[in-house]
Amino acid sequence: MVAKYHPKLHNILATGTYDGGIKVFKILRESDSLLGQSTIEKYTHRDPITAMSWIQSRMDDSHLIASASADGKAILWSMKNKLTQPIMVYAFQQP
């Protein structure tokens, strides 16, 4: 559904899938390798990813992945934990 290259490491690609998953790949000429992927849990996306962006962390020089989907959640992910769980979840609900 969505794919974004890392702003500094141009061979790192984050993808947002139709089932709400996030996957990060290292793109190589010979073969691609999966660096991390999210799981489907209570606090993660369950609908297609509609937007995604790499953002600079305020704590260090690393980059985080921000994702949003039709389920009304905006989630921050870190490659430090290989996307095993979100580091922050915002849930938007209609009044």
Side-chain angles (χ1 to χ4, degrees), residues 21-78:
I22 304 288
K23 295 182 180 187
V24 177
F25 296 93
K26 185 172 187 177
I27 308 298
L28 302 171
R29 287 185 181 179
E30 296 81 26
S31 64
D32 300 337
S33 59
L34 181 65
L35 298 178
Q37 73 178 39
S38 67
T39 58
I40 300 198
E41 298 177 8
K42 180 179 180 180
Y43 298 107
T44 60
H45 296 298
R46 296 183 181 205
D47 288 345
I49 304 299
T50 56
M52 188 167 42
S53 182
W54 289 92
I55 58 173
Q56 178 107 23
S57 172
R58 290 184 178 181
M59 302 297 181
D60 53 25
D61 196 35
S62 69
H63 282 78
L64 304 173
I65 300 169
S67 63
S69 79
D71 61 7
K73 293 177 190 163
I75 300 179
L76 281 178
W77 304 90
S78 174

Side-chain angles (χ1 to χ4, degrees), residues 1-4 14-23 48-50 52 67:
M1 296 296 298
V2 179
K4 297 285 182 177
T15 61
T17 64
Y18 184 78
D19 65 356
I22 304 288
K23 295 182 180 187
I49 304 299
T50 56
M52 188 167 42
S67 63

